[in-house]
Amino acid sequence: MNLDQAIRLALEYEASVHQIYREAMEKTADKSAKRIFEVLCAEERQHLAYLQDCLEEWQRMGRIQVKNLETAIPAPEVIERSLRDIGQTLKARPSRRKHELELLKKALAAEIQTGNFYSDVARQLDAEGQEVFKRFVEIEKGHTAIVQAEIDSMNKWGFWFDTPEFRLENE
């Protein structure tokens, strides 16, 4: 796979994930789920614009000057570290509708698939191509973590962002 093909395929992935979040935003009544979908939808729009700029630059110049790609979602390690201190004070949320949970599961599957895609693409490209997609791999890990955290919170599995809300053993 060459860089042109990788960018075009990435645009398809991002458009698909953006559509999932846009539809989920419209379909959910839950404020917390809606906010997560809004943030992630905006992130996917940003990714689409970034990739479109990369494609245009590649077609014009035959190279890409990698620019900083921002995200509103912290890295999974940052999320986990910041939640250790408050994990014990979190309270279970009231039960939400099954509908929101299904939308979140669909989003999670899309984020995992997209993250795997970026990892695979980065391995197949030369150094320049890897540099274009390296940040996307990091961002997709954060997206996956935030969606999984919302699912865990809704299911009241005793975890929030992979952090136990309580422990059975004495500390």
Side-chain angles (χ1 to χ4, degrees):
M1 174 180 305
N2 65 36
L3 187 53
D4 185 80
Q5 293 169 321
I7 294 171
R8 289 178 189 278
L9 194 51
L11 280 163
E12 291 177 24
Y13 267 88
E14 293 295 336
S16 174
V17 176
H18 176 263
Q19 181 67 20
I20 288 169
Y21 287 131
R22 196 172 63 76
E23 289 174 5
M25 268 182 4
E26 295 168 1
K27 291 179 181 178
T28 188
D30 182 82
K31 288 180 184 179
S32 178
K34 185 179 282 293
R35 178 68 183 129
I36 286 184
F37 292 140
E38 286 172 351
V39 169
L40 291 169
C41 188
E43 293 247 331
E44 301 307 336
R45 271 194 312 272
Q46 180 184 356
H47 296 176
L48 284 164
Y50 181 91
L51 288 165
Q52 189 61 48
D53 287 347
C54 287
L55 182 60
E56 290 169 7
E57 186 175 344
W58 176 254
Q59 291 172 335
R60 246 186 0 264
M61 302 172 68
R63 62 180 174 78
I64 297 174
Q65 175 67 39
V66 177
K67 297 159 204 78
N68 189 25
L69 183 57
E70 296 294 326
T71 180
I73 309 295
E77 303 80 35
V78 174
I79 294 168
E80 185 177 322
R81 188 173 55 245
S82 67
L83 291 174
R84 278 191 201 121
D85 293 339
I86 64 169
Q88 298 297 327
T89 63
L90 295 175
K91 295 181 181 174
R93 296 181 180 185
S95 179
R96 295 191 212 150
R97 295 188 326 206
K98 183 179 177 182
H99 178 68
E100 278 79 13
L101 186 57
E102 291 307 315
L103 293 171
L104 285 163
K105 286 180 179 179
K106 184 176 179 182
L108 181 63
E111 289 296 350
I112 290 169
Q113 182 180 19
T114 304
N116 290 340
F117 161 74
Y118 284 128
S119 294
D120 291 343
V121 165
R123 280 193 295 273
Q124 294 177 40
L125 296 174
D126 61 14
E128 180 183 25
Q130 289 177 7
E131 193 62 32
V132 170
F133 289 102
K134 182 173 79 172
R135 180 70 174 133
F136 280 98
V137 172
E138 296 166 358
I139 289 172
E140 295 306 326
K141 287 179 183 177
H143 288 184
T144 300
I146 199 79
V147 173
Q148 182 65 60
E150 189 66 13
I151 290 170
D152 291 350
S153 176
M154 286 182 71
N155 284 324
K156 295 187 244 173
W157 287 341
F159 288 85
W160 199 68
F161 291 97
D162 293 330
T163 302
E165 291 184 335
F166 63 90
R167 297 184 190 279
L168 296 176
E169 67 274 1
N170 284 333
E171 293 186 30

